[in-house]
Amino acid sequence: MVSYCRLQPLKYEPLLKIMAEMPRMHNTWGYRLIHGWIREKGQDFGLYRVRRLWKQHGYVRLWRKKRRKIRAGARLKPLSMGPNTIWCMDFVEDRLTTGRKLFALLVKDEATAFALNVSIAHSFKGENVERILDALVDEYGAPADIRCDNGGQFISYVVQRWAQSRGIEMAHIDPGKPWQK
C-alpha cells in the first residue's frame, strides 16, 4: 500500500516562518490581520490558505472581552431647553439596620433641578414606576424626554409602552456613566 507524499513540502515555508514570529509581536492579531500584513510586504498568499495554516499550527488570537449591548434610544442628544422638557430619574438603594433593602425612586426636572418626586419602597416594579409617572404627568404635564439609566425597571416593557403611548422619548445614558444624568 502506497501512502500519500506531498510533492512540495517546502512551498509554505516562508509563510509559516512569518506566521511563527507574528503572534509574539502582535498577540491580538488574528489570521485576517496577518494576511493583510503579509500582502503589504509584497507576498501573495490567499486568505483561506493563511487561515488554514493558522488553524493547523494552533495559533490563536487573544480575544477581547465582548462589549455589552447598548439599549436603543437617544444618547444625551436632547438638551434641556426649559422647565418640564427633560426629566431625569434614578433609583437610590440603602439598607435598614435589619439588613432589608430600601429603594427610592427620584424624579427631577433637568432644567430647574426641582425634585418632582421621591418615592420610597422596599421594591419597585415596572407597574409601580408607571403609576408614579402617571401621577407626575397629571400634575406637571408630560415632558418631551425622560433621561434614565439602563436599570431593569426603566427598560421594562411596561415603562417603554407607557412612554410610547404618551409620545415621550426614553433617553438612556451610556452604561457605566452615571455622571451623564
Side-chain angles (χ1 to χ4, degrees):
M1 185 161 160
V2 178
S3 65
Y4 176 75
C5 181
R6 291 185 351 187
L7 297 177
Q8 297 177 339
L10 302 177
K11 182 178 180 180
Y12 304 126
E13 195 64 37
L15 177 61
L16 291 173
K17 189 174 183 181
I18 293 170
M19 286 172 57
E21 66 187 39
M22 288 311 291
R24 285 193 299 269
M25 293 169 47
H26 303 283
N27 60 356
T28 58
W29 282 17
Y31 72 92
R32 290 181 190 268
L33 284 174
I34 298 289
H35 174 257
W37 187 79
I38 289 170
R39 288 190 64 133
E40 283 181 5
K41 295 294 181 189
Q43 296 188 17
D44 191 27
F45 291 105
L47 176 66
Y48 294 111
R49 179 173 294 154
V50 173
R51 177 176 174 243
R52 179 175 47 84
L53 293 172
W54 184 263
K55 287 189 172 193
Q56 277 180 355
H57 291 277
Y59 298 118
V60 292
R61 175 180 170 220
L62 296 177
W63 295 99
R64 295 185 186 125
K65 184 179 175 185
K66 287 189 177 183
R67 296 190 64 89
R68 223 174 102 186
K69 272 190 176 178
I70 297 175
R71 307 286 185 210
R75 299 277 178 201
L76 291 182
K77 296 295 183 204
L79 297 174
S80 184
M81 300 309 233
N84 208 30
T85 55
I86 297 180
W87 290 355
C88 298
M89 61 181 182
D90 197 11
F91 280 101
V92 177
E93 178 184 336
D94 200 4
R95 289 191 181 267
L96 299 173
T97 56
T98 60
R100 190 169 178 192
K101 286 185 178 181
L102 194 65
F103 294 97
L105 172 63
L106 310 173
V107 183
K108 76 172 195 169
D109 185 358
E110 193 173 271
T112 62
F114 178 72
L116 302 173
N117 181 47
V118 178
S119 298
I120 299 172
H122 289 289
S123 69
F124 281 96
K125 294 184 179 176
E127 293 86 11
N128 303 115
V129 175
E130 179 185 20
R131 187 174 27 82
I132 292 167
L133 290 174
D134 270 335
L136 290 173
V137 167
D138 290 342
E139 186 175 346
Y140 298 105
D145 300 285
I146 295 180
R147 193 180 322 273
C148 59
D149 57 11
N150 293 297
Q153 296 91 345
F154 299 139
I155 62 171
S156 70
Y157 176 73
V158 175
V159 175
Q160 296 294 324
R161 186 185 62 208
W162 173 87
Q164 188 177 16
S165 68
R166 284 160 181 75
I168 299 171
E169 181 75 28
M170 297 296 286
H172 297 285
I173 65 168
D174 292 326
K177 297 185 179 178
W179 56 85
Q180 291 181 346
K181 284 188 279 192

